[in-house]
Every structure is written in structure tokens, then in C-alpha cells.
Amino acid sequence: MTAICQIRQHLFGELDLMVRTTAALIEKIEDKDWHYQPQSAMRTLLEVVNHLVQIPTVDLAIIQEQDEISIRKLEKELFTDNATELLNLLHFGADRLKSYMAALTVEDFVHKTGKPFYSQEGIAYSKWLIEILTHLSHHRSQLFEYLKELHYNVNMFDLY
């Protein structure tokens, strides 16, 4: 196995960690708290969770150069208030993303680019995968903080 393939596998391991820990946090949420909103200018808990679980699916669509209208439509179609559907979407999207990235040759993974609708430049797929992990981590942390504010029993071990 080449070094690039090993790095890609490590990144997939991080994606698996993000999915597992995010799912565990979501499973803690009680129905009464879905509409919690720390401040008026912030998302509700339901909106944060929807955005978070959509990241693998939506970012893959962006990588595949879907236009902004298609992306916004996809986000609306995927939005749900059903916890089981949220978890299924997270797992399904992560599996599709991994399959897509795993199918790329090493050369394509490192050098081929996808151009998002919001950028003038293409982004290498390897960098995309890192950005997706960063995006997931950011919003998983946001979810964690919402749960802390709601006095859920969560601590740093829920993130590993």
C-alpha cells in the first residue's frame, strides 16, 4: 500500500470517528429539546443537527460540481425532524463519500480537482476530504456545546 493510500485510510478512519461520535451525541437528544436556540441569531438544535448530518452528502454533491440551486434544493429535501432519518442520512452520506473517494486513483485523489459553485478555483479531492472532516468537526463541536448548554451528560470522551 502506498503512503497516499495509507493517508487516505487514516482520513477515512477520522470520518468514521466523526460519524460514530456524532451519532452518539444525536442519540442523546430528547424530543423536547429539538427547538432549543441559544440566541436568536443562531440555528436551532434541529437545524444544527440537520446541517451536520447533511455534510457528507451535500459536500459530495458540491465536489461533483452541482450548481448552487441544486445544492440548496438537496439541503431542503434532506431536512427532517426524525432522529432515525437523521442518523441514517449521516451513515449513508459518509458511506457514499468514502466509496467515491476510495474509487479515485491515487493520482486523481491527489491531483484531480472539483470546482465548487462558490469558487473560481478547483480543489484537489484529497484537500476536499480534509475540508469535509474539518467541517464535520466544527459542527460536531457546535452540537456538543448545545448539549452542554442543555445540561446533557456529555464530556470530552464523547468526542473520541
Side-chain angles (χ1 to χ4, degrees):
M1 181 182 289
T2 68
I4 297 297
C5 289
Q6 288 177 323
I7 290 168
R8 181 167 39 189
Q9 289 306 311
H10 289 310
L11 294 171
F12 289 164
E14 286 301 303
L15 179 59
D16 291 341
L17 173 70
M18 287 291 138
V19 169
R20 180 178 52 78
T21 57
T22 296
L25 290 172
I26 292 169
E27 289 169 349
K28 293 177 184 268
I29 300 170
E30 297 175 22
D31 288 341
K32 66 180 178 60
D33 293 322
W34 283 114
H35 296 290
Y36 171 71
Q37 186 176 22
Q39 295 181 19
S40 62
M42 297 175 72
R43 292 175 170 161
T44 66
L45 179 59
L46 181 62
E47 291 167 336
V48 167
V49 171
N50 266 278
H51 180 71
L52 175 55
V53 302
Q54 288 179 16
I55 290 170
T57 299
V58 171
D59 282 8
L60 179 57
I62 293 170
I63 289 169
Q64 294 172 327
E65 301 186 2
Q66 289 189 25
D67 62 32
E68 183 175 10
I69 293 168
S70 299
I71 296 299
R72 299 299 170 230
K73 181 179 176 193
L74 177 62
E75 290 170 330
K76 285 180 185 170
E77 289 171 357
L78 295 175
F79 195 93
T80 182
D81 62 0
N82 181 291
T84 301
E85 290 176 10
L86 289 163
L87 293 169
N88 289 341
L89 176 59
L90 176 63
H91 289 285
F92 177 76
D95 288 345
R96 283 191 60 229
L97 177 63
K98 280 174 37 179
S99 293
Y100 183 85
M101 291 289 183
L104 296 170
T105 65
V106 168
E107 185 69 23
D108 284 349
F109 181 67
V110 174
H111 299 291
K112 190 175 178 181
T113 63
K115 186 175 165 294
F117 64 84
Y118 52 80
S119 177
Q120 299 295 336
E121 303 286 325
I123 300 171
Y125 288 110
S126 54
K127 183 166 178 10
W128 261 113
L129 185 53
I130 294 166
E131 288 190 16
I132 291 168
L133 290 170
T134 302
H135 194 187
L136 285 166
S137 181
H138 167 76
H139 289 294
R140 183 191 63 166
S141 295
Q142 186 181 20
L143 169 59
F144 180 86
E145 288 302 317
Y146 275 43
L147 295 181
K148 289 289 273 186
E149 290 175 24
L150 287 164
H151 304 289
Y152 279 82
N153 184 23
V154 293
N155 61 55
M156 65 175 252
F157 296 108
D158 290 295
L159 305 177
Y160 297 97

